[in-house]
Amino acid sequence: MTDVDIEVRINGARRTDRVPPRLTLADYLRERCGLTGTHLGCEHGVCGACTVLLDGAAVRSCLVFAVQADGAELTTVEGVADADGQLSPVQAAFRDEHGLQCGFCTPGFIVSVTAFLRDNPDPTDAEIREAISGNLCRCTGYQGIVRAVRAAADTMSAAPDAATPSTQQA
Protein backbone atom coordinates (compact mmCIF):
# COMPACT_ATOMS: atom_id res chain seq x y z
CA MET A 1 0.00 0.00 0.00
CA THR A 2 1.13 3.51 -0.77
CA ASP A 3 1.72 5.94 2.08
CA VAL A 4 -0.68 8.86 2.38
CA ASP A 5 0.00 12.53 3.14
CA ILE A 6 -1.86 13.92 6.13
CA GLU A 7 -2.06 17.28 7.83
CA VAL A 8 -3.30 17.57 11.41
CA ARG A 9 -3.24 20.09 14.19
CA ILE A 10 -2.09 18.44 17.43
CA ASN A 11 -2.38 20.42 20.66
CA GLY A 12 -2.39 23.58 18.58
CA ALA A 13 0.62 22.77 16.41
CA ARG A 14 0.25 22.07 12.68
CA ARG A 15 1.92 18.88 11.50
CA THR A 16 2.24 17.20 8.11
CA ASP A 17 3.35 13.62 7.62
CA ARG A 18 3.32 10.73 5.20
CA VAL A 19 1.84 7.65 6.86
CA PRO A 20 0.87 4.09 5.96
CA PRO A 21 -2.91 3.78 5.50
CA ARG A 22 -3.24 1.24 8.32
CA LEU A 23 -1.21 3.12 10.96
CA THR A 24 -3.47 3.74 13.94
CA LEU A 25 -3.84 7.22 15.31
CA ALA A 26 -2.54 5.94 18.67
CA ASP A 27 0.64 4.60 17.08
CA TYR A 28 1.03 7.78 15.02
CA LEU A 29 0.77 9.97 18.12
CA ARG A 30 3.13 7.82 20.18
CA GLU A 31 5.72 6.80 17.58
CA ARG A 32 5.77 9.63 15.06
CA CYS A 33 4.83 12.56 17.31
CA GLY A 34 6.43 11.43 20.58
CA LEU A 35 3.18 12.02 22.49
CA THR A 36 3.44 9.02 24.76
CA GLY A 37 0.74 10.20 27.16
CA THR A 38 -1.69 8.42 24.86
CA HIS A 39 -1.47 4.93 26.36
CA LEU A 40 -2.24 1.65 24.65
CA GLY A 41 -3.96 -0.93 26.82
CA CYS A 42 -6.30 -3.33 25.09
CA GLU A 43 -5.94 -2.00 21.51
CA HIS A 44 -9.58 -3.01 20.96
CA GLY A 45 -11.33 0.20 22.08
CA VAL A 46 -12.46 -1.25 25.41
CA CYS A 47 -10.18 0.26 28.06
CA GLY A 48 -10.18 3.95 27.08
CA ALA A 49 -6.49 4.50 27.87
CA CYS A 50 -5.86 5.83 24.35
CA THR A 51 -8.67 8.40 24.35
CA VAL A 52 -7.93 11.68 22.54
CA LEU A 53 -10.10 14.51 21.27
CA LEU A 54 -10.66 14.44 17.52
CA ASP A 55 -12.33 17.68 16.46
CA GLY A 56 -13.58 17.93 20.04
CA ALA A 57 -15.04 14.41 20.27
CA ALA A 58 -13.51 11.87 22.63
CA VAL A 59 -12.39 8.89 20.52
CA ARG A 60 -10.38 5.74 21.05
CA SER A 61 -7.25 6.42 19.04
CA CYS A 62 -6.51 2.70 18.74
CA LEU A 63 -9.65 2.38 16.58
CA VAL A 64 -8.95 5.32 14.26
CA PHE A 65 -6.43 5.29 11.45
CA ALA A 66 -4.11 8.29 11.25
CA VAL A 67 -5.31 8.94 7.69
CA GLN A 68 -8.85 9.37 9.05
CA ALA A 69 -7.60 12.29 11.13
CA ASP A 70 -6.38 14.20 8.05
CA GLY A 71 -7.47 17.82 8.42
CA ALA A 72 -8.54 17.34 12.04
CA GLU A 73 -7.80 19.12 15.28
CA LEU A 74 -6.42 16.68 17.86
CA THR A 75 -5.96 17.17 21.58
CA THR A 76 -3.99 14.63 23.57
CA VAL A 77 -3.49 14.58 27.32
CA GLU A 78 -0.36 16.67 26.74
CA GLY A 79 -2.58 19.44 25.36
CA VAL A 80 -5.10 19.53 28.21
CA ALA A 81 -2.94 21.65 30.55
CA ASP A 82 -2.50 25.37 29.97
CA ALA A 83 0.30 26.42 27.64
CA ASP A 84 2.22 27.65 30.70
CA GLY A 85 2.03 24.16 32.24
CA GLN A 86 -0.67 24.89 34.80
CA LEU A 87 -2.88 21.84 35.27
CA SER A 88 -6.41 21.97 33.93
CA PRO A 89 -9.22 21.77 36.50
CA VAL A 90 -9.69 18.11 35.58
CA GLN A 91 -6.01 17.28 36.04
CA ALA A 92 -5.84 19.20 39.33
CA ALA A 93 -8.96 17.47 40.63
CA PHE A 94 -7.57 14.01 39.79
CA ARG A 95 -4.43 14.92 41.73
CA ASP A 96 -6.28 16.50 44.67
CA GLU A 97 -8.99 13.82 44.98
CA HIS A 98 -6.63 10.85 44.56
CA GLY A 99 -8.30 9.87 41.29
CA LEU A 100 -5.27 7.88 40.20
CA GLN A 101 -2.89 5.28 41.49
CA CYS A 102 -0.60 3.65 38.94
CA GLY A 103 -1.52 6.32 36.38
CA PHE A 104 -1.79 4.08 33.33
CA CYS A 105 -5.48 4.78 32.72
CA THR A 106 -5.30 8.40 33.86
CA PRO A 107 -4.61 10.09 30.48
CA GLY A 108 -7.71 8.47 28.98
CA PHE A 109 -9.82 9.49 31.96
CA ILE A 110 -8.49 13.07 31.83
CA VAL A 111 -9.32 13.46 28.13
CA SER A 112 -12.72 11.73 28.43
CA VAL A 113 -13.72 13.77 31.46
CA THR A 114 -12.55 17.00 29.83
CA ALA A 115 -14.92 16.38 26.90
CA PHE A 116 -17.72 15.19 29.19
CA LEU A 117 -17.61 18.28 31.42
CA ARG A 118 -17.43 20.58 28.42
CA ASP A 119 -20.74 19.08 27.24
CA ASN A 120 -22.29 18.52 30.67
CA PRO A 121 -20.94 21.10 33.13
CA ASP A 122 -23.27 20.17 36.01
CA PRO A 123 -23.56 16.37 35.97
CA THR A 124 -25.25 14.16 38.52
CA ASP A 125 -23.23 11.37 40.11
CA ALA A 126 -25.14 8.89 37.94
CA GLU A 127 -24.15 10.85 34.81
CA ILE A 128 -20.54 10.92 35.99
CA ARG A 129 -20.53 7.16 36.47
CA GLU A 130 -22.09 6.65 33.04
CA ALA A 131 -19.57 9.01 31.43
CA ILE A 132 -16.55 7.20 32.88
CA SER A 133 -17.95 3.74 32.22
CA GLY A 134 -15.95 3.53 28.98
CA ASN A 135 -12.64 3.91 30.83
CA LEU A 136 -11.26 1.03 32.84
CA CYS A 137 -9.14 1.35 35.96
CA ARG A 138 -7.70 -1.65 37.77
CA CYS A 139 -6.32 0.22 40.79
CA THR A 140 -8.61 2.87 42.26
CA GLY A 141 -12.08 1.42 42.78
CA TYR A 142 -13.41 4.57 41.02
CA GLN A 143 -14.40 6.48 44.19
CA GLY A 144 -11.55 8.96 43.86
CA ILE A 145 -12.23 9.29 40.16
CA VAL A 146 -15.91 10.14 40.75
CA ARG A 147 -14.89 12.66 43.43
CA ALA A 148 -12.36 14.14 41.01
CA VAL A 149 -14.96 14.58 38.26
CA ARG A 150 -17.36 16.20 40.74
CA ALA A 151 -14.61 18.53 42.04
CA ALA A 152 -13.58 19.47 38.49
CA ALA A 153 -17.21 20.21 37.58
CA ASP A 154 -17.52 22.44 40.65
CA THR A 155 -14.28 24.27 39.83
CA MET A 156 -15.21 24.71 36.18
CA SER A 157 -18.69 26.02 36.99
CA ALA A 158 -17.03 28.69 39.13
CA ALA A 159 -14.68 29.61 36.23
CA PRO A 160 -16.41 28.60 32.94
CA ASP A 161 -13.43 29.48 30.70
CA ALA A 162 -11.37 26.80 32.50
CA ALA A 163 -13.30 24.04 30.69
CA THR A 164 -11.54 24.40 27.33
CA PRO A 165 -8.28 22.52 26.78
CA SER A 166 -5.43 24.71 25.69
CA THR A 167 -4.48 24.43 22.05
CA GLN A 168 -1.70 26.97 22.29
CA GLN A 169 1.07 24.43 22.88
CA ALA A 170 3.61 23.79 20.17
Side-chain angles (χ1 to χ4, degrees):
M1 293 187 155
T2 305
D3 287 355
V4 177
D5 291 323
I6 64 168
E7 181 177 327
V8 292
R9 191 167 212 51
I10 305 171
N11 301 329
R14 182 178 164 271
R15 183 175 174 113
T16 58
D17 275 303
R18 190 162 185 78
V19 298
R22 298 191 54 83
L23 178 68
T24 67
L25 182 56
D27 287 336
Y28 172 70
L29 292 168
R30 290 180 58 79
E31 296 170 14
R32 297 276 182 100
C33 303
L35 298 169
T36 57
T38 301
H39 291 169
L40 286 169
C42 67
E43 298 191 54
H44 294 283
V46 175
C47 73
C50 68
T51 303
V52 299
L53 299 181
L54 175 67
D55 289 333
V59 300
R60 305 296 197 254
S61 63
C62 71
L63 298 179
V64 176
F65 292 120
V67 295
Q68 292 175 290
D70 184 33
E73 177 79 33
L74 299 166
T75 304
T76 67
V77 70
E78 291 91 347
V80 172
D82 288 339
D84 65 3
Q86 182 171 338
L87 297 179
S88 75
V90 173
Q91 292 169 311
F94 268 70
R95 177 199 60 208
D96 296 343
E97 298 297 330
H98 307 288
L100 59 111
Q101 282 184 6
C102 83
F104 188 82
C105 66
T106 305
F109 272 103
I110 297 293
V111 173
S112 295
V113 169
T114 297
F116 168 66
L117 291 178
R118 178 199 62 220
D119 297 340
N120 187 352
D122 187 27
T124 65
D125 284 352
E127 290 170 326
I128 291 171
R129 289 183 183 284
E130 174 66 25
I132 64 172
S133 67
N135 293 77
L136 301 179
C137 176
R138 299 295 185 218
C139 300
T140 66
Y142 297 95
Q143 297 308 313
I145 294 170
V146 172
R147 280 193 316 270
V149 178
R150 167 63 45 224
D154 292 346
T155 298
M156 291 163 64
S157 68
D161 62 335
T164 307
S166 173
T167 55
Q168 303 305 313
Q169 294 184 356

